[in-house]
Each structure stands twice: as structure tokens, then as C-alpha cells.
Amino acid sequence: PVLAGETYVVNVSNFSLSQNGYNLNFAASTAAIFDTTPPQLQSVITSITCGATQLTLIFSENIECSSIANNDFTLTGPGGPYTVIGWSANGCTSGGSYDRIVTLIISPAISPGGNYQVCVPAGAFTDLCANLSLQGCLNFTTNNIPPTTLAVTACNSYNLPWGGTG
């Protein structure tokens, strides 16, 4: 017997025999499983350095891959305007239909250090129960350290075997 307010876990211990998933049917009961909580932008991975072209966002719950679009995101800050030119999520690219961690591909690269803001409008995404996302913005700061430092050494001029100088 399931009592109101209790939490139960379903454990499938032989998943390797069926890679197609399982259906749970509560038709013979009065149980109701519902989710009325909309997804929202929860955090930004903050290890962003000057020169970054990717920005990773974490949502409060899984969102449907098919509901994500480049123009659903705005990024503002020094060196902008910025455009989201693509996105990826491991759950979506591996054949799934949802994920809660989304990496944005942005242009131009974040160049100056400073304060930035990423926003999503209300209703941009849906969760697995078709709840529309809440509007939200998150602030984050970058530093001026480039992601990689290149050492450049000047070469002395010399004659090349086929003519000319190097």
C-alpha cells in the first residue's frame, strides 16, 4: 500500500536485457503522479576565462531537447553583443530527449574580464511534463586570464636552401 506523502523508488536490476526502457502503468490504482514545477535556470559554471566560446548552464530539472533553440538565450556583458550560435547537452547528443546541463556556443569569444548576465525568457523550454520554463537571469564574472597562454619566440633571419629568408 502506498500512502500519501511517501516516496518510493523503482529499481530495474536487469536493464541489459531490454535497452528500450519500461512503462509504468498506474491505471489500476488511484495514484497520481504529477509535476507542476516549471524548470528554471539554476546556475552557470563559473570557471569561465577570457577567450571562452562556451558557457555551461544548469537548469533546475531536465528540459526537453526539442524545446531548446539558440535564440532562447541572451548573453550581455563587456565586449558584446553576444550571439548564441549553437548548443549541446550530453543527454540530447547521445540520443536522449532531455538534459538539465546545456552548453552554449557563443560568438564572439568572451574577451574582457568583467560582469556578465545570461537570461532566458518565460516559456522558452518545457520539462518532461510540458511545464513551461520561468523567466530568469544569472550574473557571473570572468577574469582576464586567457584559457591558454602561448609563448612566442622571435626567430633570427636566415637564408632558406631554396632561396629567400626565414
Side-chain angles (χ1 to χ4, degrees):
V2 176
L3 302 176
E6 292 182 330
T7 301
Y8 287 83
V9 175
V10 176
N11 179 15
V12 178
S13 63
N14 196 8
F15 184 73
S16 62
L17 292 180
S18 172
Q19 296 295 315
N20 299 321
Y22 297 88
N23 290 323
L24 297 177
N25 186 339
F26 291 97
S29 75
T30 59
I33 297 175
F34 58 92
D35 171 14
T36 58
T37 305
Q40 61 186 353
L41 194 54
Q42 184 176 359
S43 62
V44 176
I45 302 294
T46 57
S47 59
I48 303 162
T49 59
C50 181
T53 58
Q54 295 185 349
L55 181 65
T56 300
L57 309 175
I58 301 175
F59 288 85
S60 60
E61 62 180 287
N62 287 319
I63 55 176
E64 290 279 348
C65 300
S66 61
S67 69
I68 303 171
N70 294 348
N71 62 356
D72 289 333
F73 305 92
T74 57
L75 175 62
T76 57
Y82 294 97
T83 304
V84 175
I85 59 172
W87 63 271
S88 67
N90 288 340
C92 301
T93 56
S94 65
S97 60
Y98 56 86
D99 205 327
R100 67 183 290 252
I101 300 173
V102 177
T103 299
L104 305 180
I105 302 163
I106 56 175
S107 178
I110 293 175
S111 55
N115 298 317
Y116 292 80
Q117 185 177 66
V118 61
C119 296
V120 296
F125 316 105
T126 57
D127 66 8
L128 302 178
C129 294
N131 295 309
L132 295 174
S133 62
L134 297 175
Q135 185 277 333
C137 294
L138 292 173
N139 298 318
F140 63 96
T141 302
T142 66
N143 57 38
N144 280 320
I145 301 169
T148 57
T149 302
L150 301 175
V152 178
T153 305
C155 298
N156 292 329
S157 179
Y158 55 91
N159 290 323
L160 298 173
W162 53 86
T165 58

